[in-house]
Amino acid sequence: MNPCALCILLLGSFFPPALCITTADPALFINGIPYSTRSYWMRRANKALQDVTRSLCPFAAFGTAIVNHTYAQGLGDLICIGANQNGQTGNPSLHGEIAAIANCTAILTDPKGRFRLTPSEAQAAFADLTLYTNAESCPMCASAIRWAGFREYVYGTSIDTLICKGWGQIRIASVDVFRASFDLPSRTRLMGGVLANETDPYFLWQYDPTYPCPRGCSRSPDGMSS
Ligand SMILES: *[C@@H]1O[C@H](CO)[C@@H](O)[C@H](O)[C@H]1NC(C)=O
Ligand SMILES: *[C@@H]1O[C@H](CO)[C@@H](O)[C@H](O)[C@H]1NC(C)=O
Ligand SMILES: *[C@@H]1O[C@H](CO)[C@@H](O)[C@H](O)[C@H]1NC(C)=O
Ligand SMILES: [Zn+2]
């Protein structure tokens, strides 16, 4: 047996094989950024929920933070946040990632804002940015991430976990969307499972009446947290 096959076999006994083969160990120092920094921004993606929806436990608990990490030092620069706004706006495509991309575009091109970029400069700016989302993107959002040409895409909870816990999903993993997008000029580094121990609880209560509500929330008689 070749050593590589043995390695996969051994790792497979500790980790789910699909995760191990398609995404890196989230604790690694990828693109020069320590796990503590990744965790900081994943927590910011969680907190975007509260900032945008004004609820501690929105049902559609999908939050995003978009960050510029290309500075040599420090945590990086937050460009914008976003959270799922389907319910608030009636727009079914406003998933957290799409809302954040729209918000960042508005912030980057705001004539009175920090950046004051032209539309073409704003489009080009995404190549420096990292998108953190507390759950793996659906194929619509994963495609938008590739179209935007982000430098990095980092998720917490996996689509597999969402499916296991009752969420209706279009069953195409982000790695499959990325694999199919080789015609696009940009490249995006994909990292998954980052701080999943803290993102998972946002998604485990909605369809499971025995799972505790998120901190600060309680279950209303219809079974929803509020
Ligand atoms: C991101 O950081 C790089 C390096 O400092 C800078 O050149 C670029 O303009 C920044 N992009 C945005 C959108 O702030
Ligand atoms: C857009 O991002 C800004 C900066 O992070 C944030 O203050 C604002 O709440 C966000 N707006 C929406 C609608 O998500
Ligand atoms: C989640 O895991 C990370 C990394 O192992 C750890 O630093 C963090 O404290 C954990 N969070 C909780 C709430 O246990
Ligand atoms: Zn989506």
Side-chain angles (χ1 to χ4, degrees), residues 48-56 88:
L49 296 173
Q50 206 179 319
D51 296 339
V52 175
T53 70
R54 314 251 164 246
S55 161
L56 289 170
Q88 278 153 300

Side-chain angles (χ1 to χ4, degrees), residues 26-153:
L28 296 175
F29 212 96
I30 290 172
N31 285 343
I33 297 175
Y35 187 63
S36 55
T37 301
R38 301 285 183 199
S39 302
Y40 175 89
W41 291 112
M42 194 54 79
R43 290 182 180 126
R44 188 69 190 84
N46 280 335
K47 191 174 167 292
L49 296 173
Q50 206 179 319
D51 296 339
V52 175
T53 70
R54 314 251 164 246
S55 161
L56 289 170
C57 50
F59 191 89
F62 300 94
T64 293
I66 294 179
V67 178
N68 188 350
H69 276 306
T70 62
Y71 295 99
Q73 294 181 343
L75 281 171
D77 182 25
L78 180 71
I79 309 297
C80 79
I81 57 170
N84 183 297
Q85 290 193 290
N86 295 169
Q88 278 153 300
T89 63
N91 179 343
S93 69
L94 274 190
H95 287 187
E97 302 91 316
I98 303 288
I101 291 170
N103 191 17
C104 271
T105 303
I107 287 173
L108 291 170
T109 58
D110 179 353
K112 297 197 188 86
R114 283 173 65 196
F115 302 100
R116 306 177 187 200
L117 303 184
T118 64
S120 62
E121 288 167 344
Q123 281 195 42
F126 285 100
D128 282 336
L129 306 183
T130 300
L131 184 143
Y132 289 85
T133 168
N134 63 356
E136 182 174 356
S137 299
C138 74
M140 171 182 75
C141 294
S143 300
I145 288 166
R146 289 296 291 112
W147 282 119
F150 278 97
R151 179 168 179 254
E152 300 176 321
Y153 153 55

